[in-house]
């Protein structure tokens, strides 16, 4: 299993970023996917999740209404569209999938929200 995130960067408050996670090494269309984030000095926290077909999505309270998770099963990718970004959204963002009791993580992509 390989998960590779991209799309992070520096953005001003109120701006937008679209993160991507390219997946390989497993039957992507059979697994739910999630995004997590970890800010400096804080615990890693769940951001959003999407079911295997993309029909079910869930969001953390802080993400609902600003972030949108989506997936393209043909391209084996999952995205996180982030709008109205705030300085407190600054973190390393990770995608994750789970196979039974084992979690698989990407290496993360850094998002910095600052003026």
């Amino acid at each position: 299993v390989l998960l590779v995130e991209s799309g992070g960067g520096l953005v001003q408050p109120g701006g937008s970023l679209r993160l991507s996670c390219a997946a390989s090494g497993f039957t992507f269309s059979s697994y739910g996917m999630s995004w997590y984030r970890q800010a400096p000095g804080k615990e890693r926290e769940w951001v959003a999740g999407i079911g295997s077909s993309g029909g079910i999505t869930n969001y953390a309270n802080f993400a609902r209404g600003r972030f949108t998770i989506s997936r393209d099963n043909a391209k084996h990718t999952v995205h996180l569209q982030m709008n109205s970004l705030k300085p407190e959204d600054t973190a390393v963002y990770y995608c994750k999938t789970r196979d039974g009791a084992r979690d698989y993580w990407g290496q993360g992509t850094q998002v910095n929200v600052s003026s």
Side-chain angles (χ1 to χ4, degrees):
V1 175
L2 183 62
L3 302 172
V4 180
E5 299 94 336
S6 62
L10 174 64
V11 63
Q12 292 186 341
S16 299
L17 280 176
R18 187 184 191 224
L19 307 183
S20 297
C21 173
S24 60
F26 64 107
T27 306
F28 181 74
S29 60
S30 296
Y31 290 85
M33 300 293 297
S34 298
W35 284 96
Y36 282 73
R37 70 183 188 184
Q38 187 165 19
K42 295 188 176 182
E43 297 286 320
R44 192 172 296 189
E45 62 180 349
W46 174 73
V47 177
I50 187 167
S52 58
S53 68
I56 297 175
T57 57
N58 289 288
Y59 298 90
N61 286 339
F62 65 80
R64 194 171 293 112
R66 298 190 300 130
F67 295 1
T68 302
I69 188 171
S70 63
R71 66 189 295 159
D72 185 337
N73 283 349
K75 295 183 178 180
H76 294 193
T77 57
V78 59
H79 303 286
L80 185 68
Q81 176 68 42
M82 304 188 295
N83 299 327
S84 302
L85 283 163
K86 306 174 182 179
E88 53 263 43
D89 294 317
T90 294
V92 179
Y93 284 72
Y94 300 89
C95 65
K96 189 204 86 170
T97 193
R98 172 172 285 186
D99 182 5
R102 181 170 180 176
D103 290 334
Y104 295 90
W105 297 88
Q107 84 291 347
T109 186
Q110 178 71 49
V111 171
N112 289 304
V113 184
S114 174
S115 55

